[in-house]
């Protein structure tokens, strides 16, 4: 196939699947005169030209509100087209496209999202068709398609998966989240102030933090030493000395909310039902150092075409948290992408205003009760 005509829409799937599956030499995007849509078309064009060797992408602006202009413009760009993808767009653009395709015996295609196929209609008089399977996009490709200039994620993830103590530390944190947060605050303070070059910590048992006297939670120290997360633990009347088992454990204990991110990642990873998972993904949307727009997503999980953007919160859930993960999710333009909040707080689904707001945003909430019952993965899959 030499040239494909594509109606450009807000949906990533509508724009990209036919363009990749048919492997044309040229793709012409018909784009409504909307600044955001034109910018998305530029991202998609750059992605295709980088991903598909030898492809050339043309962007044609079109006033979709005028039938006369549509008809006139189509005759200018449609001359050498071999296939027209009619997925997306409204009838006022589809009708003249179909009419032209029939008159000139040009193939037409549309997406069968449910069965993950592209239906390619024959250009002869018979109602025959063939199907082309979708080209699967991974998380990295989707990020770049959405306009990310760079991203990092899954740093040292192998250390999380292969560390035998991680599950036990996470379980300990989940058992009493407030106690864990107090302990984490204490240990991060002494870690910063009393750790030597070799990572040995020799610190007082009682410290002053923000004008308040805080005592070491000796029972928590002993429990962590018992499971092997802390080593060489020595407790004296006024001092406490220890080392961490490794850097992964150190980060997990010192960063208050990281245990929930690790828990979420491991639940998804161990379920073996997802195609791809990333933890602590930092997305840079702009190369301009002065006006950088950066988002951090705690966990991103993909199963087939479905993408879950997960924010983990150990503090009281606020509407702004829902709005933040919703905006990030919708920026990707996927039909089946879901904002998710995992929280260690209890929320009454029947009366909570947070749940009411979540329903409006199609946001999945996984709360403390879900975590206790082990329902995290099942709630994600409930929308599958």
């Amino acid at each position: 196939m030499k040239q494909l005509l594509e109606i450009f829409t807000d949906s990533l799937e509508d724009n990209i699947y036919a363009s990749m599956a048919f492997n044309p030499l040229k793709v012409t995007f018909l784009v409504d005169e909307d600044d955001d849509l034109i910018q998305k078309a530029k991202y998609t064009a750059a992605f295709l030209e980088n991903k598909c060797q030898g492809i050339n992408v043309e962007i044609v602006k079109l006033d979709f509100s005028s039938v006369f202009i549509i008809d006139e413009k189509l005759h200018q760009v449609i001359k050498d087209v071999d296939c027209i993808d009619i997925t997306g767009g409204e009838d006022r653009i589809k009708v003249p496209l179909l009419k032209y395709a029939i008159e000139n015996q040009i193939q037409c295609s549309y997406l069968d999202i449910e069965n993950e196929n592209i239906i390619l209609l024959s250009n002869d008089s018979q109602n025959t068709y063939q199907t082309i399977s979708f080209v699967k996009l991974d998380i990295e490709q989707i990020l770049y398609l959405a306009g990310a200039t760079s991203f990092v994620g899954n740093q040292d993830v192998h250390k999380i998966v292969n560390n035998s103590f991680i599950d036990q530390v996470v379980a300990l944190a989940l058992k009493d989240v407030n106690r864990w947060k107090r302990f984490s605050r204490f240990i991060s303070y002494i870690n910063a102030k009393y750790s030597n070059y070799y990572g040995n910590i020799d610190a007082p048992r009682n410290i002053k933090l923000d004008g308040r006297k805080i005592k070491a939670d000796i029972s928590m120290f002993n429990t962590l030493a018992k499971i092997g997360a802390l080593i060489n633990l020595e407790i004296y009347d006024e001092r406490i000395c220890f080392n961490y088992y490794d850097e992964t454990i150190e980060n997990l204990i010192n960063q208050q909310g990281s245990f929930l991110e690790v828990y979420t990642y491991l639940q998804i990873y161990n379920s073996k039902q997802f195609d791809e998972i990333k933890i602590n993904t930092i997305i840079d949307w702009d190369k301009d150092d002065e006006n950088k727009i950066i988002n951090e997503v705690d966990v991103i999980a993909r199963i087939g075409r479905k993408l879950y953007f997960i924010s983990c919160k150990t503090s009281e859930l606020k509407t702004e948290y829902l709005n933040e993960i919703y905006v990030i999710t919708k920026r990707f333009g996927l039909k089946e992408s879901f904002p998710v909040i995992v929280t260690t707080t209890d929320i009454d689904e029947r009366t909570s205003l947070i749940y009411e707001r979540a329903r409006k945003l199609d946001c999945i909430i996984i709360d403390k009760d879900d975590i206790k019952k082990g329902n995290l993965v099942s709630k994600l899959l409930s929308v599958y």
Side-chain angles (χ1 to χ4, degrees), residues 218-236:
I218 300 302
S219 174
M220 187 72 82
F221 272 104
N222 283 327
T223 302
L224 286 168
K226 186 176 180 181
I227 65 178
L230 299 180
I231 58 176
N232 303 322
L233 177 64
E234 296 179 3
I235 299 172
Y236 303 101

Side-chain angles (χ1 to χ4, degrees), residues 136-195:
K136 299 295 185 183
L137 299 176
D138 59 27
I139 291 173
E140 179 177 340
Q141 291 172 325
I142 292 167
L143 287 173
Y144 285 129
L145 266 171
T149 56
S150 64
F151 76 94
V152 293
N154 276 17
Q155 301 292 82
D156 297 325
V157 71
H158 64 283
K159 295 180 180 178
I160 294 174
V161 174
N162 297 322
N163 193 311
S164 58
F165 305 131
I166 290 285
D167 281 338
Q168 296 177 73
V169 175
V170 169
L172 186 63
L174 285 170
K175 188 176 181 181
D176 189 334
V177 173
N178 288 330
R179 181 185 176 190
W180 178 262
K181 287 166 72 173
R182 289 192 298 270
F183 176 77
S184 180
R185 191 167 177 232
F186 176 92
I187 205 169
S188 62
Y189 176 83
I190 64 172
N191 190 67
K193 195 166 184 178
Y194 297 101
S195 178

Side-chain angles (χ1 to χ4, degrees), residues 243-282:
N243 295 83
Y244 299 99
Y245 172 77
D246 63 12
E247 188 179 353
T248 305
I249 290 293
E250 179 181 355
N251 293 334
L252 181 60
I253 294 174
N254 278 268
Q255 297 170 14
Q256 284 189 20
S258 66
F259 75 89
L260 189 58
E261 297 164 17
V262 172
Y263 166 81
T264 301
Y265 180 92
L266 287 174
Q267 287 288 304
I268 295 170
Y269 177 86
N270 292 329
S271 74
K272 308 297 183 187
Q273 298 194 62
F274 289 77
D275 298 314
E276 198 178 359
I277 323 160
K278 290 192 180 295
I279 189 170
N280 300 135
T281 301
I282 299 172

Side-chain angles (χ1 to χ4, degrees), residues 17-36:
Y17 284 125
S19 302
M20 292 183 72
F22 294 146
N23 197 25
L25 294 177
K26 183 176 181 180
V27 176
T28 299
F29 284 136
L30 297 180
V31 187
D32 199 354
E33 293 179 330
D34 174 87
D35 289 342
D36 289 340

